[in-house]
Amino acid sequence: MNFVEELKWRGMIHDMMPGTEEQLQKEMTSAYVGIDPTADSLHIGHLVGVMMLKHFQRAGHRPIALIGGATGMIGDPSMKSAERNLLDEATLHHNQDSIRKQLARFLDFDSDAPNAALLVNNYDWMKNYTFLHFIRDVGKHLTVNYMMSKDSVKKRLSAESSVGMSFTEFSYQLLQGYDFLYLYQHEGCRLQMGGSDQWGNITTGTELIRRTLGPEAEAFALVCPLITKADGGKFGKTESGNVWLDRRYTSPYKFYQFWLNVSDADAAKYIKIFTALGRDEIASLEKEQLDAPHLRPLQKRLAQEVTTMVHSEDDYQAAVEASLILFGNATSDTLKKIDEDTLLSVFEGVPRFEISRDELSAGIKAVDLCTDKAAIFPSKGEMRKLAQSGGISINKEKLGGHDAIINADSLLNGKYLLVQRGKKNYFLLIAR
């Protein structure tokens, strides 16, 4: 597999240095992508770089994931309008451990293959490096003029920016450049990859290697385009913020729904970038989409592949079943199987009422429950009428009559009752 050709047809190359493809065709090559551990989970904005490493390993090369324990203490100014908050060492260590586990779902770290992935932390080689030695060994090789020519610096120093730039941030490209130099010398790393906003930092690294080790020291750069949505919106952002890989922040159901609900244009782009599906299979899916766009085969397959890769096949199946609760003919058995987090995700935004657990334990008539205890119906007469026509369900089971007794045995996860009025109106009752 030709790595550069693979990335080209997937739309994952924005720019690369001359000679990169020749280097990769010549021999097994090591390449790294840096990830700053500013949170204890990756979000889907990180997935492009992770998928680049995944394809790199599939092509027979050795991927290196660099956790920026040192650079994460500073914060990269690239394309940011303000300086980030600095993290303490304990928080960084926790974040690194969490990210390491997530990366293992994408990359083979543990086999004895010559191209097994490597995980490194730049804090390991920076923690004992004194400021005086760093300025003497690294700073002398790059002029201030060269560093100020970078877009990320010029943007922050422009007349439009009232924020300015601290020396801490200005030094960031030196630190990232040194990472490349260190990995070049100690791991034989010849290539750094990242997003297009990293081009300036990455080429600083190639320049530092050349100036430190001589013109015969060849190092390369390859960056992918920043991912956008077809409507110009920011990729990976929802009303509630980032879409995270950790289920504590984004449930597998919400994660699955994010991919399922992308536009047709975005699905055609994302399925190439965020899955390992081959060209023929994607072409077949694109034809299906063209023939029957209402069936959304691209979105469904995209959601399946990414949810399974990030979470698991079981989580994907559970997300599909949970989707049927709102949009299909799900049964009460399906409802009873889903966990509390998924239940709350599915019914986020529906009206909620608190009811007394003690009253429910004693048993209460459905008509009283849905009028006196929870204002689902404005009157008992309206509730009786709809119940007689079979228009009310509790936990996806048709209500036999308005005077049916509901008790605590019906609670989902020992806490919830789901009342459905008609086909589309849901209400969540919470027993306290």
Side-chain angles (χ1 to χ4, degrees):
M1 173 178 141
N2 182 309
F3 175 69
V4 171
E5 285 300 316
E6 182 76 8
L7 259 56
K8 278 181 179 175
W9 80 261
R10 291 183 182 275
M12 294 176 73
I13 293 185
H14 177 80
D15 206 352
M16 65 177 174
M17 287 182 64
T20 302
E21 189 167 12
E22 290 78 4
Q23 166 64 32
L24 297 177
Q25 289 174 332
K26 182 173 70 175
E27 60 189 356
M28 185 183 80
T29 302
S30 295
Y32 90 92
V33 168
I35 300 168
D36 276 344
T38 48
D40 64 352
S41 172
L42 302 175
H43 54 72
I44 59 175
H46 293 108
L47 271 185
V48 187
V50 175
M51 290 305 295
M52 290 173 81
L53 290 176
K54 183 178 178 70
H55 291 308
F56 196 68
Q57 190 169 44
R58 290 175 62 227
H61 300 292
R62 184 174 75 141
I64 300 174
L66 182 145
I67 301 293
T71 41
M73 288 181 164
I74 295 173
D76 181 5
S78 297
M79 306 309 162
K80 294 179 178 65
S81 59
E83 190 165 342
R84 284 198 305 217
N85 293 328
L86 310 189
L87 301 177
D88 61 71
E89 194 173 331
T91 301
L92 284 165
H93 279 306
H94 166 71
N95 293 354
Q96 292 153 25
D97 290 341
S98 301
I99 291 170
R100 185 179 290 118
K101 292 171 185 172
Q102 290 180 334
L103 289 171
R105 294 196 63 84
F106 298 86
L107 303 171
D108 169 23
F109 288 101
D110 300 322
S111 77
D112 55 2
N115 70 326
L118 180 67
L119 189 74
V120 296
N121 178 355
N122 61 13
Y123 184 72
D124 291 339
W125 56 81
M126 290 302 303
K127 61 186 176 185
N128 295 320
Y129 205 167
T130 68
F131 179 74
L132 285 175
H133 284 95
F134 183 80
I135 291 298
R136 186 191 66 185
D137 299 343
V138 179
K140 69 178 182 180
H141 289 293
L142 296 174
T143 66
V144 170
N145 288 352
Y146 176 84
M147 294 173 69
M148 289 186 69
S149 71
K150 301 298 183 180
D151 286 342
S152 59
V153 175
K154 286 196 291 187
K155 183 179 177 183
R156 286 285 289 278
L157 296 180
S158 68
E160 293 83 33
S161 174
S162 60
V163 180
M165 176 180 278
S166 68
F167 174 77
T168 301
E169 283 191 303
F170 185 61
S171 67
Y172 187 94
Q173 61 176 293
L174 280 179
L175 291 167
Q176 186 167 329
Y178 181 68
D179 286 343
F180 199 174
L181 173 62
Y182 182 92
L183 290 175
Y184 186 100
Q185 292 177 303
H186 293 84
E187 296 294 343
C189 182
R190 297 291 180 265
L191 171 64
Q192 184 181 169
M193 303 187 294
S196 57
D197 60 333
Q198 289 292 305
W199 183 255
N201 289 336
I202 294 174
T203 52
T204 294
T206 62
E207 185 68 8
L208 180 62
I209 289 169
R210 187 182 68 80
R211 294 189 185 188
T212 303
L213 304 178
E216 68 282 356
E218 292 187 304
F220 304 94
L222 186 155
V223 292
C224 63
L226 294 181
I227 306 303
T228 56
K229 286 165 44 175
D231 63 6
K234 189 168 183 180
F235 167 74
K237 290 281 188 180
T238 66
E239 289 181 6
S240 55
N242 284 321
V243 179
W244 299 93
L245 273 56
D246 192 310
R247 66 177 61 235
R248 291 174 301 159
Y249 307 131
T250 301
S251 69
Y253 170 79
K254 278 189 179 178
F255 188 85
Y256 167 78
Q257 285 291 325
F258 171 84
W259 300 100
L260 192 65
N261 290 314
V262 300
S263 70
D264 289 1
D266 286 335
K269 179 169 70 171
Y270 296 166
I271 200 163
K272 294 175 182 174
I273 296 171
F274 297 109
T275 79
L277 295 177
R279 195 185 302 219
D280 292 343
E281 193 164 4
I282 290 176
S284 176
L285 286 164
E286 288 174 331
K287 184 179 182 307
E288 287 181 39
Q289 188 89 359
L290 201 61
D291 294 341
H294 63 287
L295 296 178
R296 300 166 66 80
L298 275 176
Q299 285 94 334
K300 288 178 181 176
R301 189 61 186 277
L302 171 66
Q304 176 184 355
E305 291 292 320
V306 186
T307 304
T308 302
M309 182 165 55
V310 169
H311 293 289
S312 69
E313 175 68 24
D314 287 344
D315 285 319
Y316 159 69
Q317 294 293 349
V320 172
E321 288 192 1
S323 300
L324 294 175
I325 294 168
L326 273 180
F327 310 115
N329 298 316
T331 65
S332 60
D333 289 339
T334 303
L335 192 62
K336 290 170 186 173
K337 279 195 297 183
I338 67 173
D339 60 80
E340 182 177 8
D341 288 342
T342 304
L343 179 74
L344 294 176
S345 293
V346 172
F347 294 103
E348 186 177 24
V350 308
R352 298 182 180 189
F353 299 97
E354 289 194 5
I355 57 175
S356 165
R357 181 182 294 274
D358 291 340
E359 289 181 1
L360 195 64
S361 297
I364 187 170
K365 285 184 179 181
V367 67
D368 295 331
L369 179 68
C370 296
T371 54
D372 298 339
K373 306 304 178 185
I376 294 171
F377 292 90
S379 70
K380 293 185 178 181
E382 187 176 329
M383 195 274 184
R384 288 190 191 99
K385 187 175 178 182
L386 192 58
Q388 285 168 359
S389 63
I392 303 175
S393 296
I394 293 184
N395 296 345
K396 283 291 179 178
E397 291 182 344
K398 292 286 184 189
L399 188 64
H402 66 277
D403 56 355
I405 301 297
I406 311 297
N407 58 40
D409 293 340
S410 300
L411 289 172
L412 302 167
N413 294 292
K415 191 174 181 182
Y416 305 98
L417 285 174
L418 180 69
V419 180
Q420 186 176 356
R421 188 183 74 194
K423 287 188 176 180
K424 296 182 178 178
N425 297 306
Y426 288 95
F427 305 85
L428 197 62
L429 276 53
I430 306 170
R432 300 288 190 190

mmCIF file of all heavy atoms in Angstrom, residues 274-312:
data_model
loop_
_atom_site.group_PDB
_atom_site.id
_atom_site.type_symbol
_atom_site.label_atom_id
_atom_site.label_comp_id
_atom_site.label_asym_id
_atom_site.label_seq_id
_atom_site.Cartn_x
_atom_site.Cartn_y
_atom_site.Cartn_z
ATOM 1 N N PHE A 274 -12.391 8.958 8.030
ATOM 2 C CA PHE A 274 -12.512 8.405 9.380
ATOM 3 C C PHE A 274 -12.762 6.896 9.434
ATOM 4 O O PHE A 274 -13.045 6.360 10.501
ATOM 5 C CB PHE A 274 -13.628 9.127 10.143
ATOM 6 C CG PHE A 274 -13.347 10.589 10.344
ATOM 7 C CD1 PHE A 274 -14.063 11.544 9.645
ATOM 8 C CD2 PHE A 274 -12.357 11.008 11.216
ATOM 9 C CE1 PHE A 274 -13.799 12.894 9.825
ATOM 10 C CE2 PHE A 274 -12.084 12.353 11.400
ATOM 11 C CZ PHE A 274 -12.808 13.303 10.699
ATOM 12 N N THR A 275 -12.661 6.208 8.279
ATOM 13 C CA THR A 275 -12.756 4.748 8.283
ATOM 14 C C THR A 275 -11.601 4.179 7.477
ATOM 15 O O THR A 275 -10.914 4.901 6.757
ATOM 16 C CB THR A 275 -14.090 4.248 7.674
ATOM 17 O OG1 THR A 275 -14.010 4.299 6.238
ATOM 18 C CG2 THR A 275 -15.278 5.065 8.154
ATOM 19 N N ALA A 276 -11.416 2.874 7.604
ATOM 20 C CA ALA A 276 -10.390 2.185 6.822
ATOM 21 C C ALA A 276 -11.010 1.426 5.647
ATOM 22 O O ALA A 276 -10.357 0.588 5.031
ATOM 23 C CB ALA A 276 -9.606 1.227 7.724
ATOM 24 N N LEU A 277 -12.267 1.718 5.332
ATOM 25 C CA LEU A 277 -12.921 1.050 4.200
ATOM 26 C C LEU A 277 -12.162 1.339 2.913
ATOM 27 O O LEU A 277 -11.636 2.435 2.716
ATOM 28 C CB LEU A 277 -14.367 1.526 4.056
ATOM 29 C CG LEU A 277 -15.331 1.189 5.203
ATOM 30 C CD1 LEU A 277 -16.693 1.805 4.940
ATOM 31 C CD2 LEU A 277 -15.457 -0.322 5.361
ATOM 32 N N GLY A 278 -12.135 0.343 2.002
ATOM 33 C CA GLY A 278 -11.404 0.490 0.761
ATOM 34 C C GLY A 278 -12.149 1.311 -0.279
ATOM 35 O O GLY A 278 -13.333 1.618 -0.144
ATOM 36 N N ARG A 279 -11.436 1.646 -1.352
ATOM 37 C CA ARG A 279 -11.980 2.514 -2.400
ATOM 38 C C ARG A 279 -13.210 1.902 -3.071
ATOM 39 O O ARG A 279 -14.210 2.592 -3.301
ATOM 40 C CB ARG A 279 -10.893 2.778 -3.442
ATOM 41 C CG ARG A 279 -11.215 3.938 -4.367
ATOM 42 C CD ARG A 279 -10.171 4.087 -5.467
ATOM 43 N NE ARG A 279 -8.844 4.283 -4.952
ATOM 44 C CZ ARG A 279 -7.958 5.116 -5.505
ATOM 45 N NH1 ARG A 279 -8.286 5.829 -6.556
ATOM 46 N NH2 ARG A 279 -6.752 5.224 -5.018
ATOM 47 N N ASP A 280 -13.159 0.602 -3.377
ATOM 48 C CA ASP A 280 -14.284 -0.047 -4.068
ATOM 49 C C ASP A 280 -15.535 -0.068 -3.194
ATOM 50 O O ASP A 280 -16.642 0.175 -3.677
ATOM 51 C CB ASP A 280 -13.914 -1.474 -4.485
ATOM 52 C CG ASP A 280 -12.854 -1.503 -5.581
ATOM 53 O OD1 ASP A 280 -12.651 -0.441 -6.227
ATOM 54 O OD2 ASP A 280 -12.225 -2.555 -5.783
ATOM 55 N N GLU A 281 -15.352 -0.381 -1.913
ATOM 56 C CA GLU A 281 -16.503 -0.446 -1.009
ATOM 57 C C GLU A 281 -17.147 0.927 -0.824
ATOM 58 O O GLU A 281 -18.379 1.054 -0.805
ATOM 59 C CB GLU A 281 -16.084 -1.020 0.346
ATOM 60 C CG GLU A 281 -17.256 -1.413 1.228
ATOM 61 C CD GLU A 281 -16.864 -2.308 2.378
ATOM 62 O OE1 GLU A 281 -15.651 -2.580 2.564
ATOM 63 O OE2 GLU A 281 -17.772 -2.753 3.092
ATOM 64 N N ILE A 282 -16.315 1.955 -0.719
ATOM 65 C CA ILE A 282 -16.850 3.306 -0.583
ATOM 66 C C ILE A 282 -17.561 3.737 -1.861
ATOM 67 O O ILE A 282 -18.635 4.354 -1.821
ATOM 68 C CB ILE A 282 -15.735 4.301 -0.191
ATOM 69 C CG1 ILE A 282 -15.290 4.035 1.260
ATOM 70 C CG2 ILE A 282 -16.197 5.742 -0.340
ATOM 71 C CD1 ILE A 282 -14.128 4.883 1.733
ATOM 72 N N ALA A 283 -16.991 3.379 -3.017
ATOM 73 C CA ALA A 283 -17.638 3.709 -4.292
ATOM 74 C C ALA A 283 -19.005 3.037 -4.389
ATOM 75 O O ALA A 283 -19.971 3.638 -4.888
ATOM 76 C CB ALA A 283 -16.743 3.283 -5.454
ATOM 77 N N SER A 284 -19.098 1.805 -3.919
ATOM 78 C CA SER A 284 -20.370 1.080 -3.929
ATOM 79 C C SER A 284 -21.396 1.779 -3.026
ATOM 80 O O SER A 284 -22.568 1.918 -3.393
ATOM 81 C CB SER A 284 -20.150 -0.361 -3.476
ATOM 82 O OG SER A 284 -21.367 -1.055 -3.387
ATOM 83 N N LEU A 285 -20.949 2.219 -1.853
ATOM 84 C CA LEU A 285 -21.844 2.929 -0.937
ATOM 85 C C LEU A 285 -22.297 4.264 -1.529
ATOM 86 O O LEU A 285 -23.449 4.668 -1.363
ATOM 87 C CB LEU A 285 -21.137 3.167 0.401
ATOM 88 C CG LEU A 285 -20.969 1.941 1.304
ATOM 89 C CD1 LEU A 285 -19.937 2.210 2.394
ATOM 90 C CD2 LEU A 285 -22.302 1.537 1.935
ATOM 91 N N GLU A 286 -21.383 4.944 -2.220
ATOM 92 C CA GLU A 286 -21.742 6.217 -2.851
ATOM 93 C C GLU A 286 -22.804 6.018 -3.932
ATOM 94 O O GLU A 286 -23.710 6.851 -4.084
ATOM 95 C CB GLU A 286 -20.494 6.875 -3.450
ATOM 96 C CG GLU A 286 -19.552 7.434 -2.390
ATOM 97 C CD GLU A 286 -18.252 7.963 -2.962
ATOM 98 O OE1 GLU A 286 -17.814 7.445 -4.012
ATOM 99 O OE2 GLU A 286 -17.676 8.880 -2.357
ATOM 100 N N LYS A 287 -22.709 4.898 -4.666
ATOM 101 C CA LYS A 287 -23.722 4.597 -5.682
ATOM 102 C C LYS A 287 -25.073 4.314 -5.024
ATOM 103 O O LYS A 287 -26.123 4.777 -5.489
ATOM 104 C CB LYS A 287 -23.292 3.403 -6.537
ATOM 105 C CG LYS A 287 -24.257 3.099 -7.680
ATOM 106 C CD LYS A 287 -23.789 1.940 -8.525
ATOM 107 C CE LYS A 287 -24.750 1.705 -9.692
ATOM 108 N NZ LYS A 287 -26.151 1.551 -9.293
ATOM 109 N N GLU A 288 -25.039 3.551 -3.910
ATOM 110 C CA GLU A 288 -26.282 3.286 -3.171
ATOM 111 C C GLU A 288 -26.913 4.603 -2.702
ATOM 112 O O GLU A 288 -28.133 4.774 -2.750
ATOM 113 C CB GLU A 288 -25.995 2.401 -1.954
ATOM 114 C CG GLU A 288 -25.698 0.938 -2.275
ATOM 115 C CD GLU A 288 -25.440 0.149 -0.996
ATOM 116 O OE1 GLU A 288 -26.133 0.394 0.020
ATOM 117 O OE2 GLU A 288 -24.517 -0.689 -0.992
ATOM 118 N N GLN A 289 -26.070 5.518 -2.228
ATOM 119 C CA GLN A 289 -26.563 6.803 -1.743
ATOM 120 C C GLN A 289 -27.220 7.590 -2.879
ATOM 121 O O GLN A 289 -28.257 8.229 -2.688
ATOM 122 C CB GLN A 289 -25.401 7.612 -1.156
ATOM 123 C CG GLN A 289 -25.809 8.888 -0.449
ATOM 124 C CD GLN A 289 -26.106 8.673 1.027
ATOM 125 O OE1 GLN A 289 -26.028 7.555 1.525
ATOM 126 N NE2 GLN A 289 -26.447 9.735 1.719
ATOM 127 N N LEU A 290 -26.607 7.518 -4.053
ATOM 128 C CA LEU A 290 -27.139 8.228 -5.216
ATOM 129 C C LEU A 290 -28.487 7.649 -5.636
ATOM 130 O O LEU A 290 -29.415 8.389 -5.981
ATOM 131 C CB LEU A 290 -26.129 8.124 -6.371
ATOM 132 C CG LEU A 290 -26.229 9.157 -7.486
ATOM 133 C CD1 LEU A 290 -26.028 10.567 -6.956
ATOM 134 C CD2 LEU A 290 -25.211 8.832 -8.578
ATOM 135 N N ASP A 291 -28.583 6.321 -5.591
ATOM 136 C CA ASP A 291 -29.821 5.646 -6.018
ATOM 137 C C ASP A 291 -30.949 5.800 -4.997
ATOM 138 O O ASP A 291 -32.123 5.866 -5.369
ATOM 139 C CB ASP A 291 -29.551 4.156 -6.257
ATOM 140 C CG ASP A 291 -28.602 3.919 -7.433
ATOM 141 O OD1 ASP A 291 -28.458 4.850 -8.256
ATOM 142 O OD2 ASP A 291 -28.003 2.829 -7.517
ATOM 143 N N ALA A 292 -30.610 5.813 -3.719
ATOM 144 C CA ALA A 292 -31.642 5.880 -2.669
ATOM 145 C C ALA A 292 -31.162 6.751 -1.513
ATOM 146 O O ALA A 292 -30.870 6.246 -0.419
ATOM 147 C CB ALA A 292 -31.989 4.480 -2.177
ATOM 148 N N PRO A 293 -31.057 8.070 -1.731
ATOM 149 C CA PRO A 293 -30.511 8.949 -0.674
ATOM 150 C C PRO A 293 -31.321 8.921 0.615
ATOM 151 O O PRO A 293 -30.772 9.141 1.693
ATOM 152 C CB PRO A 293 -30.537 10.343 -1.317
ATOM 153 C CG PRO A 293 -31.475 10.229 -2.479
ATOM 154 C CD PRO A 293 -31.422 8.821 -2.943
ATOM 155 N N HIS A 294 -32.619 8.619 0.521
ATOM 156 C CA HIS A 294 -33.454 8.599 1.721
ATOM 157 C C HIS A 294 -33.084 7.472 2.680
ATOM 158 O O HIS A 294 -33.379 7.523 3.865
ATOM 159 C CB HIS A 294 -34.938 8.479 1.329
ATOM 160 C CG HIS A 294 -35.275 7.206 0.618
ATOM 161 N ND1 HIS A 294 -34.900 6.969 -0.701
ATOM 162 C CD2 HIS A 294 -35.932 6.083 1.028
ATOM 163 C CE1 HIS A 294 -35.333 5.763 -1.062
ATOM 164 N NE2 HIS A 294 -35.948 5.212 -0.030
ATOM 165 N N LEU A 295 -32.395 6.434 2.156
ATOM 166 C CA LEU A 295 -31.968 5.318 3.010
ATOM 167 C C LEU A 295 -30.656 5.615 3.737
ATOM 168 O O LEU A 295 -30.285 4.891 4.653
ATOM 169 C CB LEU A 295 -31.832 4.039 2.175
ATOM 170 C CG LEU A 295 -33.124 3.508 1.541
ATOM 171 C CD1 LEU A 295 -32.844 2.263 0.702
ATOM 172 C CD2 LEU A 295 -34.164 3.205 2.615
ATOM 173 N N ARG A 296 -29.935 6.647 3.291
ATOM 174 C CA ARG A 296 -28.717 7.132 3.955
ATOM 175 C C ARG A 296 -27.680 6.034 4.221
ATOM 176 O O ARG A 296 -27.168 5.895 5.337
ATOM 177 C CB ARG A 296 -29.084 7.831 5.267
ATOM 178 C CG ARG A 296 -30.002 9.029 5.054
ATOM 179 C CD ARG A 296 -30.641 9.511 6.347
ATOM 180 N NE ARG A 296 -29.685 10.056 7.289
ATOM 181 C CZ ARG A 296 -29.171 11.276 7.229
ATOM 182 N NH1 ARG A 296 -29.521 12.081 6.245
ATOM 183 N NH2 ARG A 296 -28.320 11.701 8.142
ATOM 184 N N PRO A 297 -27.350 5.235 3.186
ATOM 185 C CA PRO A 297 -26.371 4.160 3.418
ATOM 186 C C PRO A 297 -24.991 4.668 3.825
ATOM 187 O O PRO A 297 -24.299 4.025 4.614
ATOM 188 C CB PRO A 297 -26.312 3.424 2.069
ATOM 189 C CG PRO A 297 -26.825 4.405 1.064
ATOM 190 C CD PRO A 297 -27.847 5.233 1.785
ATOM 191 N N LEU A 298 -24.574 5.832 3.310
ATOM 192 C CA LEU A 298 -23.263 6.376 3.690
ATOM 193 C C LEU A 298 -23.219 6.723 5.170
ATOM 194 O O LEU A 298 -22.276 6.367 5.880
ATOM 195 C CB LEU A 298 -22.946 7.629 2.860
ATOM 196 C CG LEU A 298 -22.320 7.431 1.477
ATOM 197 C CD1 LEU A 298 -22.166 8.769 0.776
ATOM 198 C CD2 LEU A 298 -20.964 6.735 1.572
ATOM 199 N N GLN A 299 -24.254 7.426 5.637
ATOM 200 C CA GLN A 299 -24.282 7.813 7.051
ATOM 201 C C GLN A 299 -24.344 6.592 7.957
ATOM 202 O O GLN A 299 -23.666 6.542 8.991
ATOM 203 C CB GLN A 299 -25.476 8.725 7.329
ATOM 204 C CG GLN A 299 -25.298 10.150 6.828
ATOM 205 C CD GLN A 299 -25.874 10.377 5.443
ATOM 206 O OE1 GLN A 299 -25.972 9.440 4.644
ATOM 207 N NE2 GLN A 299 -26.251 11.601 5.144
ATOM 208 N N LYS A 300 -25.154 5.608 7.571
ATOM 209 C CA LYS A 300 -25.305 4.420 8.422
ATOM 210 C C LYS A 300 -23.994 3.650 8.526
ATOM 211 O O LYS A 300 -23.599 3.206 9.610
ATOM 212 C CB LYS A 300 -26.409 3.515 7.858
ATOM 213 C CG LYS A 300 -27.810 4.077 8.059
ATOM 214 C CD LYS A 300 -28.868 3.168 7.444
ATOM 215 C CE LYS A 300 -30.269 3.748 7.636
ATOM 216 N NZ LYS A 300 -31.306 2.930 6.972
ATOM 217 N N ARG A 301 -23.303 3.501 7.408
ATOM 218 C CA ARG A 301 -22.036 2.753 7.438
ATOM 219 C C ARG A 301 -20.947 3.542 8.158
ATOM 220 O O ARG A 301 -20.138 2.980 8.905
ATOM 221 C CB ARG A 301 -21.609 2.410 6.016
ATOM 222 C CG ARG A 301 -20.431 1.440 5.968
ATOM 223 C CD ARG A 301 -20.778 0.103 6.640
ATOM 224 N NE ARG A 301 -19.632 -0.770 6.716
ATOM 225 C CZ ARG A 301 -19.230 -1.563 5.707
ATOM 226 N NH1 ARG A 301 -19.908 -1.581 4.565
ATOM 227 N NH2 ARG A 301 -18.174 -2.326 5.834
ATOM 228 N N LEU A 302 -20.920 4.847 7.924
ATOM 229 C CA LEU A 302 -19.958 5.706 8.619
ATOM 230 C C LEU A 302 -20.148 5.600 10.123
ATOM 231 O O LEU A 302 -19.187 5.395 10.879
ATOM 232 C CB LEU A 302 -20.143 7.155 8.158
ATOM 233 C CG LEU A 302 -19.378 8.241 8.918
ATOM 234 C CD1 LEU A 302 -17.876 8.094 8.712
ATOM 235 C CD2 LEU A 302 -19.842 9.639 8.476
ATOM 236 N N ALA A 303 -21.407 5.721 10.576
ATOM 237 C CA ALA A 303 -21.698 5.645 12.012
ATOM 238 C C ALA A 303 -21.324 4.286 12.580
ATOM 239 O O ALA A 303 -20.795 4.183 13.694
ATOM 240 C CB ALA A 303 -23.181 5.927 12.251
ATOM 241 N N GLN A 304 -21.569 3.224 11.811
ATOM 242 C CA GLN A 304 -21.222 1.874 12.263
ATOM 243 C C GLN A 304 -19.713 1.716 12.425
ATOM 244 O O GLN A 304 -19.230 1.238 13.462
ATOM 245 C CB GLN A 304 -21.736 0.835 11.261
ATOM 246 C CG GLN A 304 -21.330 -0.594 11.619
ATOM 247 C CD GLN A 304 -21.753 -1.615 10.562
ATOM 248 O OE1 GLN A 304 -22.433 -1.275 9.598
ATOM 249 N NE2 GLN A 304 -21.360 -2.857 10.747
ATOM 250 N N GLU A 305 -18.968 2.115 11.406
ATOM 251 C CA GLU A 305 -17.516 1.911 11.421
ATOM 252 C C GLU A 305 -16.849 2.707 12.542
ATOM 253 O O GLU A 305 -16.011 2.175 13.278
ATOM 254 C CB GLU A 305 -16.923 2.324 10.060
ATOM 255 C CG GLU A 305 -17.296 1.418 8.907
ATOM 256 C CD GLU A 305 -16.685 0.032 9.018
ATOM 257 O OE1 GLU A 305 -15.508 -0.071 9.426
ATOM 258 O OE2 GLU A 305 -17.392 -0.941 8.701
ATOM 259 N N VAL A 306 -17.202 3.975 12.670
ATOM 260 C CA VAL A 306 -16.503 4.819 13.645
ATOM 261 C C VAL A 306 -16.920 4.460 15.071
ATOM 262 O O VAL A 306 -16.083 4.403 15.975
ATOM 263 C CB VAL A 306 -16.742 6.316 13.361
ATOM 264 C CG1 VAL A 306 -15.890 7.172 14.297
ATOM 265 C CG2 VAL A 306 -16.401 6.655 11.921
ATOM 266 N N THR A 307 -18.216 4.176 15.276
ATOM 267 C CA THR A 307 -18.665 3.812 16.630
ATOM 268 C C THR A 307 -18.033 2.500 17.070
ATOM 269 O O THR A 307 -17.610 2.358 18.225
ATOM 270 C CB THR A 307 -20.207 3.696 16.677
ATOM 271 O OG1 THR A 307 -20.787 4.921 16.223
ATOM 272 C CG2 THR A 307 -20.683 3.412 18.093
ATOM 273 N N THR A 308 -17.943 1.527 16.172
ATOM 274 C CA THR A 308 -17.329 0.241 16.498
ATOM 275 C C THR A 308 -15.838 0.410 16.789
ATOM 276 O O THR A 308 -15.300 -0.190 17.721
ATOM 277 C CB THR A 308 -17.546 -0.762 15.350
ATOM 278 O OG1 THR A 308 -18.950 -0.922 15.123
ATOM 279 C CG2 THR A 308 -16.929 -2.115 15.681
ATOM 280 N N MET A 309 -15.175 1.248 15.990
ATOM 281 C CA MET A 309 -13.733 1.446 16.149
ATOM 282 C C MET A 309 -13.412 2.157 17.463
ATOM 283 O O MET A 309 -12.485 1.781 18.182
ATOM 284 C CB MET A 309 -13.202 2.252 14.961
ATOM 285 C CG MET A 309 -11.714 2.497 14.941
ATOM 286 S SD MET A 309 -11.141 3.074 13.310
ATOM 287 C CE MET A 309 -12.193 4.501 13.047
ATOM 288 N N VAL A 310 -14.199 3.162 17.806
ATOM 289 C CA VAL A 310 -13.921 3.953 19.010
ATOM 290 C C VAL A 310 -14.440 3.257 20.262
ATOM 291 O O VAL A 310 -13.787 3.275 21.303
ATOM 292 C CB VAL A 310 -14.545 5.356 18.873
ATOM 293 C CG1 VAL A 310 -14.512 6.113 20.200
ATOM 294 C CG2 VAL A 310 -13.821 6.146 17.800
ATOM 295 N N HIS A 311 -15.614 2.627 20.173
ATOM 296 C CA HIS A 311 -16.224 1.971 21.337
ATOM 297 C C HIS A 311 -16.168 0.446 21.167
ATOM 298 O O HIS A 311 -15.182 -0.156 21.545
ATOM 299 C CB HIS A 311 -17.649 2.497 21.543
ATOM 300 C CG HIS A 311 -17.691 3.934 21.947
ATOM 301 N ND1 HIS A 311 -17.284 4.373 23.190
ATOM 302 C CD2 HIS A 311 -18.082 5.046 21.269
ATOM 303 C CE1 HIS A 311 -17.408 5.685 23.266
ATOM 304 N NE2 HIS A 311 -17.888 6.123 22.115
ATOM 305 N N SER A 312 -17.193 -0.167 20.620
ATOM 306 C CA SER A 312 -17.187 -1.616 20.395
ATOM 307 C C SER A 312 -18.389 -1.979 19.544
ATOM 308 O O SER A 312 -19.302 -1.169 19.356
ATOM 309 C CB SER A 312 -17.261 -2.378 21.734
ATOM 310 O OG SER A 312 -18.547 -2.202 22.322
#
